[in-house]
Each structure stands twice: as structure tokens, then as C-alpha cells.
Amino acid sequence: MRNNKHKKKKLRIMLILLVILIILILIFLFGHRKEKIKHEGRPAGTEQVAGRIAEIKMKPVTLFFLSESDGLLHAEERQIPESDLNGEARAVVEELIKGPQTGLMAVIPENTRLRQLFVTADGLAYVDLSRQVTEANFYGSSGEMAVVYSIVDSLTYNFKSIKKVSLLVEGNERETLGGHVDLSNPFVPDYSLIAR
Amino acid sequence: MECLRTRVRFPPPPPFFYKVELIDKIMSRFIKIFATIAISLILVSAQGFPLKGAQAAAKTIPVIKVTVEDSSQASVVRISGSSNLAYNLKKSSDSLIITFRALSGLKLEKSTFTSQIIKSIDLAKSPEAYLLIIKTGSPDFSFTTSARKNPFELTLNIKLKNVAAAREGQPAETVAKTSPSRNGESSSGASSPPADRVSQEVISGHPRQKDVKTIVIDPGHGGIETGAKGNYGTLEKDVTLAVAKKLKERIEGELKYRVVMTRDSDVVVALDRRAAVANNNKADVFISIHANGSRRTNARGSETYFLSLNATDEEARRLAYFENNSGELENRLGEQDFDDLKLILWDMAQSAYIKQSSLLAEFVQNQLNQFLSTQNRGIKQAPFKVLTGVACPAILVEVAFITNPEEEKKLQSEDFQTQVAEAIYRGLSGYFDLYEKP
């Protein structure tokens, strides 16, 4: 009898401890799994890049240039090679610098180079241009607005993941291009400058 | 986990266990193993949570009490704390700012007060410090301090420098309006800019009085920053200065308003300095004068801008700042954080005046349309750097296109410049009249 009672008591204690232990182990395993997922995230991206090399697809994009007639930004279609986001965004800005193929006007000053472009995880595109972008005779408010928003609107219009655009000159932050438009905050698109 | 298990030592089972059955023996062993593992796990997981709660509870949040007493000439602000506090005192235009650093929290207890000198006392939080901001009505004040430790007590004795001048100023107002010689004398004393913001601003007209509006005129560009360039070589900086000077003359001719220029010669003035000139002079309006430029040589017309603000964007930026800097709190000392905070507030200055700015833009643009033969390009909004920090209604006027050869010629002509000045002046008075009507 006594032995039996003793056994039952022990069984109960063991059960309780088992439950606690299982819960604790589960918590520990769960915590570990989360970390593992984070680490595994990286190689997945490289696979995608590897698959792209086989074929070069082209992709249509819309670029905004200045119209001689109404002073607004007008759309022009263009094909760029398909690539990752940074590559495609870079191609868009490079095409903007090259200028329009139809009757529109280029906005970015001649000889400007795109030094670097990258998009952060939260959708901010940094566009780093060479110093020639600040050297223009036409930098009144309108001229400056056209340069800034042809870049900003072209990027945000073509890439949903780009929410804002920050302009840099020679790798540095700059107050303005020519004394008007504030470059110190990232730009959100302003489609009011685009012709309907 | 692995190493934890190996560390666990199993003591030899007591003799009692050998007497019971085999299953019983195994079971009790398991209980022991599980128990030790469970306990070690609990201990490990408990170590993961530092006793933050307990620490916070142990430290009570310091409280500062502020009282204000007015005497005939000065105000005495007494700040006493429950514990010893390290502080830093700084004068910033019309405010005294006391910075308390490295605190987990700070509470302000203030009794209601009425004071002729002190307008408000507020506690603000920057990521690294608490700031007690004592605002006075004017930047022209002096103060003396005396401090005591254990318990902390800081006494500030604040005096207005021109108490006497301010009192005399009011009855003399009508005289001041009509007698220029008197203006010259008194304006030099009353409206000198604070010492920490020396600039080439040019003050003229009337001494600062409550009823005299201050207009800050900002001729765009200057010095090596020429602005847009016309085909015939006309520079935007020269046109803007010429128009601004004519506008100044026009306004002063009426003996109604005080005028301050951000520059009156061909020099470089930083954009934020231009805003500072307006703020330091307690401007009622800020007018930046520009001539437009575009790649299109046929672009023509005049337009008036006020600032465009993306409110959610600003808010996000401020939040990001506070989030990014809260981590490296306690240890870092220095003036940096204080300046950053000031910069953020400064950035926001114009956002409070957007509505009035749009109204002012409307008045000025209407007059430009009436007086000038230039095309009406309307009122527009843009994120212009020079407007962001201005703490009063502010506009940027783009008069004609210097890049359009036809309009460039106009901009060169004295007559056209005078017309522009007249148009802007009329727009301004229309705006002020709206506010002055009972």
C-alpha cells in the first residue's frame, strides 16, 4: 500500500516535471528556429541571380522628360535589360541622363554621370550623381524642379518598391543643386509636374 | 545546451532507493534528471532577462520644482530638485535652456505664475538629456545664477536689458513714425541681433515695436552663387538684389513697416542663415526674390511659391532620429545632441505657417498679374530650402525667366524692376490689411 502510494506520488511529480520540461524545450527550440531562418535568408537570393544569366530579357520602362511646349514632364517608353532592382534603377537614371529619343528635352545637365545607385530595404533609393549636375545656367526654381522630379518620378513610377529618392552629389549630401530645392530630405514623388 | 548537460552532476542515489523495485528506481532517477535539467533551464532562461524592472523601481524619478517670482525689475526663477542634478545652462536667443543629462527620467512640477519677463517654462526631452526651456519675451535679457548642492537648487535672476526702453517706446510710437532722425538713434540699440548670430543683415526704418511689422526681404543667391544665367549674361543674383533694394525703398517710403534685408551687397549668404535673419528679427513676413530659369528658352511668366511639406515624412524622420539615438544614451556627453534637437525643431518652423504663406502668395501673385506684362504661372508649392526654417509666413517670388531672352531684357530694365517692387509691395499691404482690419 505504502509503496503503491509512493509510486503514484512519484508518477504525478514526474508528469508535472515532464510537462514543464517539454514546454521549456519547445520554447528553446522555437527561439533557435527563428534565428536559423534569418541566416538561411541569404543564399536564396544568390540562386535567383544565378538563374538570370542564361537569358537577357528586356523590360519596358517609362521615363519622364521635359516638354518644350508646356514645361511639364512627359512620358517616354524605353526598353532596358531585366536585372535586379538596383541594376534596373541604375539603367533608368542612365537613360534619363542620355536624354530623350522623341521630341522631348533632356533635363539633367550634360556630362553628368551616375556614380552610384542603391535601394535600401525600406525603399529609399540613393542616387549619387557627379558634380556636373550642379553646373547649369538654367538652375532657376523651374529648372531645378525638373531635374529633381524627372529622376524622382521616373524611379518611383517604374519601381513599386522605391518609395523615396535621395539625391547625392559626388557621394555627399548637398543642400541644393543650385540654391532652391532642398536635397536634405528624401523626395516622395510629385506627379503634379507630369502632363496628363 | 550540450555543455549545460555535461555540467550537471548526479549524486549517488541514497540507499533508500535500492530497496524498491527496478522500475521505481529508474523512475526516481528520471525524476532527478528531469528536475536538474528543468532547474538549470529555468536558471538559464532567467539569466536572459536582466532585472530591468527591479533596477528601474529602485531608482526613483527625480523631480524638479520650479517657482517664479517677479520683482519690479527682474524675475527670479528657483529650480529645486529632490536629488543632486548635473546641469548645463545655455542662452539661446529669447530662451534660457538648462540641460540635465544622463537621467532615466525627470518630472517637472511648476506652480502657475504670472511674470512680465518669463513667458513659459517647459520640459522637453532629447534622446540624451532633458531640457528645461525658460522662454522670455525678448532676446535682450541678462541673467545671474546661483546654485546650491545637496539638495539641488538653482536660482536664476533674469533681467530685461531694455526694460526702460520698452516702456518709453510705446507712447513714443507716433513720433517714431514721422521723425526719421529719432528712428536712427533708437533702432541701433533696440534691434541689434543676438551676439551668437552675427550676420550682414541690414536693419533700417523703425525701432522694433509691437505694432510695427517687420518684413524680411531675401534677394536670392549672391557672391559666387550666381543663380541662373541669361543668354545675354544677366545674372540672377544681380536682378534679385536690384528688385529687393527697390522693394525696400518702396516699403520704407510709406513709413509703415520695418525692413530687414538678408543681404544688401553681392555676397554669399547661406540658406539657413537667411531664415535665421528672419527669425532673429521676429519677422512678420519673409519674401525671397528670385528670377526663374529653365532649360526651355521659351519658358516665360511669373509665379509665387510657398513651401510644400510632406508632413508624414517629416514625422517619420523625427521618429527615426529618436529611435536611432536612444541606444547609445547614457555615456555620450557633449553639445551635439542639443544642436541636433534644435535643428529638428528649426526644420519644422515653416510648417506652422503654411496656410498664411499660401494666402500671402495669393496676394502677391494677384498683384504681379496686374502690374506686370508677364504670363501668370500661378501659385505653386515646392520644397525650397530657404523657406523651411522661417518661422513666419514666407514666400518665394519667381519673377519672369532670365533664361528667356525676351524676359531677360525686361529683368534688366529699371522700369520693370520698379514695377515688380510695386506689385510685391501692394500684395504685401493687401495681406497686412486683411489682418489689421478689426
Side-chain angles (χ1 to χ4, degrees):
Chain A
M1 272 303 283
R2 195 168 170 254
N3 211 357
N4 218 353
K5 232 184 182 178
H6 197 73
K7 253 190 203 169
K8 267 190 185 172
K9 208 178 172 187
K10 273 187 185 170
L11 254 172
R12 206 179 289 160
I13 293 167
M14 197 182 80
L15 262 173
I16 292 166
L17 282 174
L18 250 177
V19 170
I20 293 171
L21 188 68
I22 286 166
I23 291 169
L24 283 172
I25 286 172
L26 275 177
I27 290 169
F28 266 70
L29 284 180
F30 191 69
H32 273 280
R33 203 169 284 163
K34 255 189 182 169
E35 266 175 40
K36 267 180 196 162
I37 289 167
K38 268 185 195 165
H39 288 298
E40 279 163 5
R42 278 171 202 156
T46 51
E47 277 172 23
Q48 280 181 354
V49 175
R52 176 175 59 81
I53 296 165
E55 46 191 297
I56 299 170
K57 277 189 191 167
M58 296 303 273
K59 179 185 172 177
V61 287
T62 307
L63 306 176
F64 294 107
F65 293 105
L66 199 60
S67 160
E68 180 82 44
S69 56
D70 61 4
L72 291 169
L73 295 171
H74 286 243
E76 187 180 298
E77 292 280 318
R78 193 75 58 92
Q79 297 286 329
I80 58 159
E82 235 175 54
S83 163
D84 62 345
L85 178 61
N86 283 339
E88 288 178 1
R90 210 168 284 150
V92 163
V93 177
E94 266 157 11
E95 290 296 326
L96 279 175
I97 292 172
K98 274 185 207 162
Q101 291 165 348
T102 56
L104 299 168
M105 297 182 79
V107 278
I108 301 171
E110 290 85 13
N111 304 322
T112 300
R113 280 177 306 105
L114 174 63
R115 284 165 42 99
Q116 192 54 267
L117 190 155
F118 62 93
V119 185
T120 63
D122 54 352
L124 172 59
Y126 284 95
V127 180
D128 180 13
L129 299 163
S130 66
R131 71 191 149 71
Q132 287 87 349
V133 77
T134 63
E135 298 162 0
N137 285 342
F138 58 83
Y139 272 159
S141 297
S142 298
E144 245 178 82
M145 293 276 280
V147 172
V148 168
Y149 283 102
S150 80
I151 297 172
V152 172
D153 288 356
S154 294
L155 284 175
T156 51
Y157 186 86
N158 288 297
F159 307 105
K160 271 189 182 156
S161 47
I162 298 181
K163 306 272 189 280
K164 292 182 205 168
V165 178
S166 203
L167 295 184
L168 307 176
V169 178
E170 296 287 331
N172 295 310
E173 284 186 13
R174 216 185 135 95
E175 208 171 46
T176 63
L177 290 177
H180 303 95
V181 180
D182 187 0
L183 302 184
S184 51
N185 299 327
F187 291 98
V188 289
D190 182 352
Y191 294 126
S192 70
L193 298 168
I194 293 173
R196 300 233 162 138
Chain B
M1 278 301 296
E2 290 300 318
C3 65
L4 273 172
R5 250 178 216 155
T6 52
R7 258 192 229 158
V8 175
R9 300 226 169 126
F10 307 119
F16 163 78
F17 283 99
Y18 295 109
K19 286 173 187 170
V20 294
E21 298 157 32
L22 187 67
I23 293 174
D24 199 341
K25 201 170 151 188
I26 293 167
M27 270 165 58
S28 54
R29 278 220 165 191
F30 265 110
I31 291 168
K32 283 224 159 195
I33 293 167
F34 281 140
T36 43
I37 291 174
I39 288 163
S40 60
L41 283 177
I42 291 165
L43 282 175
V44 167
S45 55
Q47 276 172 358
F49 308 102
L51 302 167
K52 271 186 190 163
Q55 279 175 2
K59 268 190 198 170
T60 50
I61 295 169
V63 180
I64 49 170
K65 281 182 190 165
V66 178
T67 56
V68 179
E69 279 170 40
D70 247 26
S71 67
S72 58
Q73 290 286 312
S75 277
V76 179
V77 181
R78 201 161 280 129
I79 303 155
S80 53
S82 48
S83 56
N84 257 351
L85 296 166
Y87 71 94
N88 196 338
L89 187 70
K90 189 170 170 178
K91 184 180 181 232
S92 169
S93 81
D94 64 346
S95 302
L96 267 177
I97 295 166
I98 305 162
T99 315
F100 298 100
R101 289 183 191 283
L103 289 175
S104 53
L106 190 67
K107 257 186 168 174
L108 173 67
E109 275 180 19
K110 59 174 177 184
S111 47
T112 53
F113 61 87
T114 50
S115 165
Q116 288 196 313
I117 297 168
I118 288 139
K119 297 283 172 262
S120 68
I121 297 179
D122 290 295
L123 191 67
K125 188 182 181 306
S126 85
E128 293 176 32
Y130 283 83
L131 312 174
L132 187 70
I133 299 164
I134 301 170
K135 234 183 144 124
T136 67
S138 140
D140 301 319
F141 67 89
S142 61
F143 63 96
T144 54
T145 61
S146 60
R148 215 173 59 191
K149 284 180 180 176
N150 270 332
F152 170 78
E153 193 178 272
L154 177 67
T155 311
L156 303 170
N157 206 319
I158 301 170
K159 267 185 197 168
L160 279 187
K161 274 181 191 158
N162 56 350
V163 171
R167 278 184 192 162
E168 277 169 25
Q170 270 148 4
E173 183 192 331
T174 45
V175 185
K177 269 185 187 169
T178 47
S179 95
S181 66
R182 211 195 127 91
N183 296 340
E185 285 164 28
S186 46
S187 68
S188 61
S191 47
S192 62
D196 58 333
R197 288 218 180 253
V198 183
S199 67
Q200 56 276 61
E201 62 208 69
V202 187
I203 298 156
S204 65
H206 308 277
R208 189 186 304 149
Q209 283 162 10
K210 256 197 169 173
D211 298 323
V212 177
K213 300 261 192 269
T214 301
I215 297 162
V216 171
I217 304 174
D218 172 44
H221 310 280
I224 54 163
E225 286 157 21
T226 58
K229 218 181 275 174
N231 277 355
Y232 301 119
T234 315
L235 299 178
E236 187 185 351
K237 62 168 186 177
D238 299 328
V239 174
T240 58
L241 184 59
V243 173
K245 279 182 172 169
K246 290 193 165 66
L247 176 59
K248 178 175 181 264
E249 251 170 59
R250 179 67 184 88
I251 296 169
E252 284 174 357
E254 295 292 315
L255 293 172
K256 241 172 134 181
Y257 308 117
R258 172 175 171 254
V259 178
V260 178
M261 302 257 280
T262 56
R263 68 177 177 103
D264 70 344
S265 59
D266 187 15
V267 289
V268 175
V269 181
L271 293 175
D272 48 3
R273 170 55 50 81
R274 294 169 193 254
V277 169
N279 297 346
N280 289 338
N281 283 288
K282 302 235 153 57
D284 292 287
V285 292
F286 177 88
I287 298 178
S288 190
I289 295 171
H290 286 248
N292 215 338
S294 167
R295 198 146 202 170
R296 299 163 53 232
T297 48
N298 63 352
R300 59 178 68 240
S302 303
E303 59 200 4
T304 308
Y305 282 94
F306 62 101
L307 188 69
S308 70
L309 268 189
N310 191 325
T312 51
D313 197 25
E314 285 288 333
E315 192 59 36
R317 206 159 54 83
R318 281 201 302 164
L319 283 176
Y321 172 86
F322 286 119
E323 275 163 17
N324 292 341
N325 290 276
S326 55
E328 36 173 14
L329 250 166
E330 263 85 37
N331 305 331
R332 242 182 59 199
L333 293 174
E335 291 297 282
Q336 185 62 35
D337 62 311
F338 178 78
D339 290 340
D340 280 356
L341 181 82
K342 210 164 71 173
L343 217 110
I344 289 166
L345 301 173
W346 201 244
D347 263 12
M348 302 290 291
Q350 178 58 205
S351 59
Y353 298 93
I354 293 293
K355 227 180 175 176
Q356 284 150 284
S357 297
S358 75
L359 193 67
L360 175 62
E362 212 173 296
F363 272 98
V364 171
Q365 182 64 29
N366 280 343
Q367 293 299 326
L368 288 175
N369 295 340
Q370 280 186 27
F371 268 82
L372 306 181
S373 47
T374 55
Q375 187 191 317
N376 174 18
R377 290 172 63 90
I379 300 154
K380 294 180 177 174
Q381 271 185 287
F384 287 147
K385 179 75 190 174
V386 74
L387 300 179
T388 52
V390 181
C392 70
I395 56 170
L396 187 146
V397 185
E398 286 282 0
V399 190
F401 277 79
I402 206 165
T403 47
N404 179 325
E406 211 180 294
E407 294 201 333
E408 183 186 358
K409 275 188 185 163
K410 273 189 192 171
L411 284 166
Q412 284 176 324
S413 89
E414 294 258 332
D415 285 351
F416 184 78
Q417 292 170 358
T418 313
Q419 279 178 319
V420 174
E422 181 66 29
I424 296 173
Y425 173 72
R426 297 212 174 184
L428 257 175
S429 352
Y431 171 81
F432 279 142
D433 288 347
L434 189 82
Y435 277 88
E436 279 165 10
K437 269 177 197 165

